[in-house]
Amino acid sequence: MDKAVMIGEVKGSKVGREEVVVSHLQFADDTLFLLEPDKSNIKKVNTILKFFSMCSGLKINMNKSSLAEEDVQALASEVECKNGSWPMKYLGLPLGGNPNSADFWNPVIEKVGKRLDGWKKAFLSKGGRLTLIQSVLSSMPTYFMSLFKMPKVVAASLEKMMCQFLWDRDSGGKGRILVRWKTFCKPK
């Protein structure tokens, strides 16, 4: 693939302010192609993939592959893959969305909410809740945060959920707040 880009057979996409040309990203056995939306470009990459498959004996799973640019979606059936759309997920992270938007972070907020719903709060002591917050809930957004800066409104929303869980206030309980949240969040 690198050679095809180097000799100009395949054209990658220009990204960033400095318009760096990127044709593909790889992680383990996943590959993401970032190409100029040109029919001949897509056909050349498809030929390269078929050649790779024949030489290596590895099979490309086209059921997991998709074309997301409108200009080339008509080619999807021709190259035996699905039509995709932006934003999409790659390795569990959304691509093509706005990480500064609170909506972008909804999967993280929903995941924390589902985890809270699954725990039987009535049977947990304050110490048990504290341990779950520190060991599980506070680490859940870490994967997203490894790539994107979390907006303050999202951080506040997650903190509120954790605080309500700790003091048993979200289920109609009138748990008394014994320590201010800022004091609680300080390192030991």
Side-chain angles (χ1 to χ4, degrees):
M1 189 65 195
D2 287 332
K3 190 167 186 173
V5 172
M6 199 177 345
I7 63 173
E9 284 294 312
V10 174
K11 297 175 190 88
S13 293
K14 294 177 184 173
V15 295
R17 289 185 198 128
E18 296 177 23
E19 295 190 337
V20 175
V21 176
V22 178
S23 61
H24 61 287
L25 300 172
Q26 292 185 304
F27 181 79
D29 64 346
D30 283 332
T31 302
L32 176 69
F33 291 103
L34 301 166
L35 307 169
E36 287 293 319
D38 176 72
K39 292 179 182 181
S40 68
N41 223 11
I42 305 300
K43 288 182 178 182
K44 287 175 186 174
V45 169
N46 192 41
T47 302
I48 291 169
L49 291 174
K50 285 180 180 177
F51 183 73
F52 169 79
S53 184
M54 286 182 350
C55 291
S56 67
L58 298 173
K59 186 171 188 240
I60 312 263
N61 188 349
M62 296 308 275
N63 291 327
K64 292 183 177 180
S65 303
S66 62
L67 292 175
E69 199 65 38
E70 287 181 27
D71 298 352
V72 291
Q73 282 188 339
L75 275 177
S77 61
E78 196 173 317
V79 294
E80 301 169 3
C81 69
K82 298 184 285 189
N83 281 324
S85 63
W86 294 101
M88 66 172 54
K89 281 192 174 189
Y90 179 65
L91 300 175
L93 292 171
L95 296 178
N98 180 3
N100 296 325
S101 157
D103 289 342
F104 181 86
W105 292 83
N106 278 347
V108 174
I109 293 170
E110 289 169 8
K111 193 173 183 181
V112 169
K114 283 180 186 174
R115 186 63 59 103
L116 286 173
D117 291 341
W119 289 332
K120 305 289 184 201
K121 292 178 284 186
F123 300 114
L124 292 172
S125 66
K126 295 268 189 266
R129 293 178 199 182
L130 177 63
T131 301
L132 288 172
I133 288 170
Q134 290 176 334
S135 64
V136 180
L137 293 182
S138 61
S139 65
M140 289 177 82
T142 304
Y143 186 54
F144 260 62
M145 291 182 344
S146 67
L147 209 57
F148 308 112
K149 183 179 178 185
M150 181 185 288
K152 289 179 182 177
V153 67
V154 174
S157 174
L158 289 171
E159 283 183 2
K160 181 180 178 183
M161 291 169 71
M162 290 180 205
C163 182
Q164 288 177 336
F165 171 70
L166 178 64
W167 304 118
D168 194 23
R169 297 183 71 120
D170 58 344
S171 62
K174 297 188 189 239
R176 221 171 106 224
I177 297 175
L178 303 175
V179 180
R180 288 180 41 203
W181 186 253
K182 287 186 180 183
T183 304
F184 168 75
C185 292
K186 287 183 182 175
K188 293 180 183 177

